[in-house]
Amino acid sequence: MPIMRLGHVQLRVPNWEASVDYYKNVLGLIETARDEKHVYLKAWDEYDHHSVILEKADSAGLEHLAFKVRYKEDLDMYEQKLQDYGVVTERIAAGTRIAEGEAVRFQLPTKQYVELYHEIEQIGNGLPRENPAPWPDGLKGMAPPRLDHLLISGEDVEGTTKLMMEVFDFCMAERAMMDEENVLATWLFVTNTPHDLAIIKGPDAGVHHIGFYLDNWNDVLKAADIIGKNNVPLDKGPVRHGITRGTTIYFFDPSGNRNEVYANGYITYPDFPTITWTAEKVGEGISFFDKDAGERFTTVFS
Ligand SMILES: [Fe+2]
């Protein structure tokens, strides 16, 4: 699989100072660089220079998401595959993003921009490569070890799902139905998690949440305490998902972008048979204990 992982997301944050402080000290990412309009951050156990870029902006939302590909030649290969599929592509020059090489950029049928890149500076995870301790000192807040996935929204869920599966060899772990025929949402993977990218019916170019990984359910409960201590707007949780079997909690950054910290979930392989959630059981799929996702969870996007 030439796509190695969801490499980074670039988020628009209108409430600039408070958002930068929140991502560093409450969520607990590490700042690695900044320029006038951007702050670059990484989760502690990632080796690459950044996985989240905050952009000073007038409105919240997702500027783009980006996948890291295995080899530099994969950029040419995917550029050709996208053009053959009928998608317009452009090249983003090396150095446009700090510490990052050239990228291929295109737009999904659900209107989000996606970039593919290979080159990025590796700065390490704060631990030696010989005889490392299990975690470094000085972590703050929830301190997720890594970015995990995101849920994007748009009208053409089927179109984005098909493109990701046909051009990039994503597999479908799960889908939720609106009725017998129409799909509400899909959960797609290219690594071995239940989802690297999920897509749900909603506003075009929208993002429902950005998900960060935690090691276990206790860490999700500790994240709930951190949410309480810092008066972070809580959305939903702590709960278990029926979908993916993850344990999770959702909350909002100071700019109104929804974040999730998530643990567990099953392992997938390319031969994983797709799970379907019927329309009347979607509430249970999202929130297994109380079977109710809640109105805010299903209606608020950024
Ligand atoms: Fe999620």
Side-chain angles (χ1 to χ4, degrees):
M1 294 283 186
I3 286 189
M4 289 199 292
R5 58 179 168 273
L6 177 65
H8 71 251
V9 294
Q10 182 162 328
L11 290 175
R12 296 193 303 264
V13 288
N15 192 355
W16 179 245
E17 297 292 338
S19 297
V20 171
D21 178 71
Y22 158 90
Y23 277 95
K24 289 171 68 174
N25 296 309
V26 180
L27 186 60
L29 304 181
I30 297 160
E31 179 176 338
T32 56
R34 70 164 73 198
D35 60 26
E36 221 170 275
K37 284 190 71 178
H38 305 93
V39 167
Y40 291 70
L41 303 148
K42 71 184 279 292
W44 75 262
D45 203 17
E46 293 164 338
Y47 296 89
D48 287 352
H49 181 269
H50 53 263
S51 59
V52 172
I53 306 172
L54 302 179
E55 177 186 329
K56 217 183 261 189
D58 295 333
S59 60
L62 181 72
E63 200 289 323
H64 72 272
L65 63 127
F67 295 105
K68 186 178 184 184
V69 298
R70 183 80 192 270
Y71 303 107
K72 197 162 191 285
E73 303 74 55
D74 294 333
L75 294 183
D76 304 327
M77 185 265 289
Y78 281 130
E79 187 174 54
Q80 189 61 54
K81 277 186 93 171
L82 283 162
Q83 288 170 6
D84 292 347
Y85 196 82
V87 176
V88 176
T89 64
E90 63 171 315
R91 288 266 175 167
I92 305 293
T96 303
R97 325 247 175 259
I98 294 173
E100 213 178 290
E102 197 179 18
V104 170
R105 185 173 167 106
F106 67 97
Q107 197 173 23
L108 293 169
T110 43
K111 309 298 183 212
Q112 292 81 8
Y113 284 97
V114 176
E115 293 185 12
L116 309 169
Y117 65 100
H118 168 67
E119 290 173 333
I120 183 167
E121 204 180 304
Q122 281 208 326
I123 60 172
N125 67 350
L127 296 169
R129 302 310 303 147
E130 194 169 72
N131 310 324
W135 38 267
D137 292 330
L139 299 179
K140 289 184 179 163
M142 301 174 195
R146 61 179 169 82
L147 173 66
D148 192 77
H149 65 269
L150 79 169
L151 173 57
I152 57 174
S153 67
E155 274 308 309
D156 192 2
V157 172
E158 294 87 349
T160 291
T161 301
K162 189 163 172 279
L163 185 151
M164 295 310 296
M165 294 179 74
E166 291 188 5
V167 177
F168 298 106
D169 296 317
F170 277 59
C171 303
M172 192 189 297
E174 310 207 18
R175 60 181 186 156
M177 306 300 290
M178 281 195 295
D179 51 46
E180 298 250 313
E181 268 134 53
N182 297 297
V183 171
L184 171 69
T186 59
W187 285 262
L188 309 180
F189 65 92
V190 72
T191 64
N192 67 343
T193 70
H195 57 339
D196 297 295
L197 179 69
I199 307 126
I200 190 164
K201 207 86 166 167
D204 272 340
V207 61
H208 184 272
H209 68 266
I210 298 98
F212 296 88
Y213 197 77
L214 290 178
D215 287 332
N216 56 57
W217 179 225
N218 276 346
D219 286 354
V220 176
L221 300 180
K222 190 176 167 198
D225 288 338
I226 292 167
I227 287 165
K229 280 176 74 172
N230 291 279
N231 302 309
V232 172
L234 174 67
D235 185 22
K236 182 76 192 169
V239 294
R240 180 191 285 279
H241 285 311
I243 297 159
T244 76
R245 273 186 234 149
T247 49
T248 177
I249 186 165
Y250 293 90
F251 42 99
F252 291 96
D253 76 12
S255 293
N257 295 300
R258 189 186 282 97
N259 289 175
E260 173 189 25
V261 285
Y262 164 98
N264 310 120
Y266 48 75
I267 290 175
T268 54
Y269 300 97
D271 61 349
F272 186 88
T274 303
I275 292 166
T276 298
W277 292 84
T278 54
E280 70 278 11
K281 292 287 187 182
V282 168
E284 194 167 317
I286 293 167
S287 187
F288 194 73
F289 306 148
D290 59 5
K291 307 183 192 315
D292 179 16
E295 202 197 321
R296 185 175 41 201
F297 188 83
T298 49
T299 56
V300 175
F301 297 82
S302 64

